[in-house]
Amino acid sequence: MITRLLAVSALALLVPLMAEAQTVGAKVPPYQAPAKAAPPARDGGEALDAAAPRPNPFKPQDDVIDRFRDAYAQGGRPRLAIWWNRQLSDTLAQWYSETRTVTADKSSNSTEGDLSLKQSGAKQSVTETQRRAGDSAERPARDETWDWEFQDGFLSPFLQADANVVDRTMITRIMGAGAEEIDPKTVEVMAMQGMADVMVEVLVADSARSTTGYELRARILDVKSGRVLAMVNSRALKEWQKTDKAAATSSGFELPDEDDESFGPERADQRYKATSSGFERKRKPPKLAVIAHNLATNVMSAMLPRLEGGAVPVAKTTDPAAPTPITPPQAAKPAPNQSAVPLPDVEAKPLPAPDKPAKVEAQNVETGPAAEEPPMPRPTKQ
Amino acid sequence: MKRLLVPAFGLLLLGGCASLDPAPHCDMSRVAGQRDLVAGPAMVEGETSPLKEMPMNSVSITDPNIIRKLYVRSIAARRTGTGTVEVVAQVVNCTDFPLNAEARTQFYANDGAASEPVSAWRRLQLPARTSNTYRELSLGDKTVDGYMIEMREGK
């Protein structure tokens, strides 16, 4: 009996010790990166078109820039004045008036001496209230940094081609220095004719259909004759066209939506984004500087035939470093520009008072009391 | 004397029967002898820890109900083609009765921390005197450096 008890107690002691048994196994082998799997072999072993790198339409086109450099030198290196998002308007003067008040004073006659009769003429003064017209050349302002990036991208190919680019603001200021009484519009035209040969007008407009949210337009004008040398519209550029290709999806080939009128540049490397409904192609357009660079090269391409054909007239006499500023005595009449097509001569026009031609009337400046007896107080129209 | 003879006879009979039993035969005393509990990290330097615990890369039968019935014959750990770790443990039912067992695996990083949540319990059916294979895959690849398998009776 005692032995049984001893045996049972000995077993009871052993059992807790054996409550946990284990077997030690092998260690985990070190990690080795799996070999890169080769793409699955396809029927015929032909590489797909998609596997080949897609040509990037927005890559810098150095060949166009080189061609432009040669054609530009051949064309006589015309000076380019670029108008940044500023439209050429047909408003001649910046000031206009809606009303004109004529005050006439008539003095009574007086008799002197025997029969001599002296009559002083009636005095008439014209008071005109002028308002400054809103600048029609101004366009909705964009973000300042947007402008910087755009101008950087647009100018870089021209500077790379060693083009003669002048700043519109600068030449206007140079031309108008000391002649503040002349209308800025006149000064602007004089500056463009005297210190530039070609005007490049670059406009940007908001567009909801474009992937970029805006559209661009560049117009190249000959400032001497007003001739349109080239016109580039972003909507018509082939880089901005949609690639209307059928897309292979899990439910078969899908043709592009005919009602979808959106357009705009797209990245050459098609990027996909993981969404909750699977991978979706990103529609993000290229960077602004790249788009501006592309527009500039398209402008260059459009100018090439004109430059090579010698259609761009270049002023030979003027030196852009030393323009002839307007002197105040000449302020009444625009200085005759020898290098350009001369401005229309104001004096040549039939004036209301033939005996006393008023030179200042062309600019609608207040005539003042000196201009006596105009035949009719003609209201000024805008 | 009679009392002593009867158990001895019984033992002889058992021995004779055992030699006729089909494999596998589990020598549970040797299984117990192979136990290798390791000392945990000591809190005081130079002292051995009083705590003994399961070693890494092992199968631990934590259920006293099946500790003398099952034997883990082998454990293997290997990397799959994608870099994850697969552990395979071969379990033998040493009894003449069908058994149900459950096992799960915890994978550890090389710093001793769990590299991922513990796996779910996976059920094993073990008919009498058969072996079965427990298999588990890790979720991580580079992070996995060790593993620990727990086994209990499936009820």
Side-chain angles (χ1 to χ4, degrees), chain A residues 78-81 196-200 220-223 229 303 312:
Chain A
R79 293 159 297 180
L80 310 173
D197 300 308
V198 172
M199 167 187 170
V200 182
I220 297 100
L221 300 172
D222 178 11
V223 296
L229 298 174
M303 286 177 73
V312 181

Side-chain angles (χ1 to χ4, degrees), chain A residues 35-89:
Chain A
K36 232 178 185 176
R42 298 182 182 275
D43 296 339
E46 294 170 1
L48 281 178
D49 289 343
R54 289 159 53 87
N56 182 8
F58 283 92
K59 70 178 178 188
Q61 298 176 3
D62 290 330
D63 52 337
V64 176
I65 297 172
D66 291 341
R67 275 189 66 195
F68 180 80
R69 182 187 289 118
D70 299 339
Y72 187 75
Q74 188 185 336
R77 302 179 58 79
R79 293 159 297 180
L80 310 173
I82 301 178
W83 285 34
W84 298 111
N85 203 17
R86 192 175 173 84
Q87 194 163 19
L88 185 66
S89 71

Side-chain angles (χ1 to χ4, degrees), chain A residues 174-198:
Chain A
I174 291 172
M175 187 59 78
E180 286 78 12
E181 60 268 26
I182 304 183
D183 194 273
K185 295 275 181 192
T186 313
V187 175
E188 194 174 55
V189 169
M190 287 163 58
M192 290 298 290
Q193 288 208 332
M195 301 177 70
D197 300 308
V198 172

